[in-house]
C-alpha cells in the first residue's frame, strides 16, 4: 500500500499558494511556520533590480539582476508576474523557478499582493490557489505594526493609509482567514494545502493508476 501512495505522490503536480494580507497581519510569520513544518513546500525567490541589502544572499533572498537582464526576461515572457515598485526597482517571478518545483510535485508559496495574484491566475490558471489573511481588527493591526519595531511612525501611517485599498480585494481570493491566532491560522492553511493536493487536477498519476484498476477488474 505504501508503495502505491509513494508512486502517486511522486507524479503529483504541485500547486502555487499565494498568501496576501495587509502589513502587520502576520503574513511573514505564517509563511515561515508553514515552510518549517513541511519540506514539500518551497518559497518562491523573486528577481529584483534593486541592489542587495546588508546580509541578503543572491538566490536565497532574491535573484539580483541588472536592468538589462530584467528587460531580457520581459522580452522572453519569462515571468509569471512582474511589477515596478514605487521606489524605482522592478520585481518578477520567474516561470522557470516555479515550474522546476511544481513539475516534480512540490508546492510553492508566495508572499504576493492582489495585483500579482491576478497576473498569476491569468497565466497559471488552476495551478494557483489564493489565500487572504485579515486582521481581527484595525486597532489590533496598528498595535502589531507598532510592536514589531521595524518601521518608523511615518511608515506605519503610510501602511495604515493603504489598508482600505488592500482589504477591498479580499473577495478575489479562494480562501479568507481572520488571523487571530498564529497556531490556528497555520493549521487552517495546512488543511487547505492538504485538500488542494488531493484535487483530481493535481493528481496527474491517477489516470495511469485507474487504467490499471480497470484492466485488473476486466481480467478478474
Amino acid at each position: 500500500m505504501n508503495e502505491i501512495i509513494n508512486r502517486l505522490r511522486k507524479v503529483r503536480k504541485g500547486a502555487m499558494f499565494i498568501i496576501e494580507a495587509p502589513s502587520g497581519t502576520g503574513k511573514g510569520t505564517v509563511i515561515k511556520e508553514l515552510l518549517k513544518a513541511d519540506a514539500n513546500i518551497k518559497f518562491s525567490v523573486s528577481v529584483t533590480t534593486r541592489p542587495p541589502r546588508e546580509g541578503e544572499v543572491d538566490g536565497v533572498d532574491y535573484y539580483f539582476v541588472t536592468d538589462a537582464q530584467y528587460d531580457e526576461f520581459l522580452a522572453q515572457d519569462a515571468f509569471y508576474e512582474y511589477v515596478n515598485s514605487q521606489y524605482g526597482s522592478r520585481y518578477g517571478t520567474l516561470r522557470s523557478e516555479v515550474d522546476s518545483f511544481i513539475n516534480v510535485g512540490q508546492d510553492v508559496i508566495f508572499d504576493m499582493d492582489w495585483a500579482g495574484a491576478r497576473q498569476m491566475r491569468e497565466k497559471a490558471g488552476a495551478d494557483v490557489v489564493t489565500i487572504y489573511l485579515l486582521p481581527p481588527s484595525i486597532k489590533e493591526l496598528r498595535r502589531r505594526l507598532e510592536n514589531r519595531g521595524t518601521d518608523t511612525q511615518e511608515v506605519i501611517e503610510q501602511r495604515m493609509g493603504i489598508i482600505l485599498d488592500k482589504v477591498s480585494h479580499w473577495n478575489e481570493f479562494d480562501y479568507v482567514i481572520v488571523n487571530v491566532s498564529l497556531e490556528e491560522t497555520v493549521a487552517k492553511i495546512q488543511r487547505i494545502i492538504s485538500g488542494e493536493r488531493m484535487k483530481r487536477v493535481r493528481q496527474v498519476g491517477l489516470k495511469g493508476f485507474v487504467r490499471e484498476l480497470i484492466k485488473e477488474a476486466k481480467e478478474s
Side-chain angles (χ1 to χ4, degrees), residues 24 45 54 62 92 97 111 146 154 177 188 190 198 219:
V45 180
E54 185 177 351
Y62 288 97
E97 166 83 2
D111 177 347
E146 291 175 343
E154 181 182 0
I177 298 170
K188 286 176 181 177
Q190 287 173 327
M198 294 304 297
E219 293 174 350

Side-chain angles (χ1 to χ4, degrees), residues 50-108:
R50 75 161 173 76
R53 294 170 183 151
E54 185 177 351
E56 289 184 330
V57 178
D58 184 52
V60 176
D61 299 287
Y62 288 97
Y63 294 113
F64 297 99
V65 300
T66 64
D67 279 307
Q69 289 172 315
Y70 190 95
D71 288 336
E72 190 173 336
F73 283 134
L74 277 178
Q76 296 171 349
D77 192 26
F79 293 128
Y80 267 125
E81 63 85 34
Y82 58 91
V83 65
N84 296 338
S85 82
Q86 59 182 320
Y87 305 108
S89 301
R90 297 185 288 175
Y91 297 82
T93 300
L94 287 172
R95 291 175 183 264
S96 57
E97 166 83 2
V98 177
D99 290 349
S100 68
F101 293 126
I102 68 167
N103 289 337
V104 295
Q106 294 179 314
D107 302 305
V108 184

Side-chain angles (χ1 to χ4, degrees), residues 5 9 13 22 31 38 42-43 46 58-59 81 116 125 134 137 144 155 160 185 197 200-202 207 212:
I5 293 171
R9 183 181 292 139
K13 187 175 186 183
I31 289 174
D38 192 335
K42 307 300 179 183
F43 186 72
S46 299
D58 184 52
E81 63 85 34
L134 289 169
S137 70
R144 290 178 183 179
V155 171
M160 293 298 296
T185 297
R197 284 172 173 171
R200 177 178 51 78
V201 293
R202 303 198 210 292
K207 282 187 178 180
E212 291 177 15

Side-chain angles (χ1 to χ4, degrees), residues 26-38 41 109 182-183 186-187 190:
K27 175 176 57 175
T29 304
V30 167
I31 289 174
K32 285 179 183 177
E33 290 299 311
L34 291 167
L35 290 168
K36 188 164 56 176
D38 192 335
I41 303 176
I109 199 164
L182 173 63
E183 292 75 17
V186 170
Q190 287 173 327

Side-chain angles (χ1 to χ4, degrees), residues 54 89 94 113 116 122 129 147 160 172 183 187 202 204 213:
E54 185 177 351
S89 301
L94 287 172
D113 69 8
E122 289 171 4
V129 180
N147 285 356
M160 293 298 296
E172 298 180 25
E183 292 75 17
R202 303 198 210 292
V204 293
L213 286 180

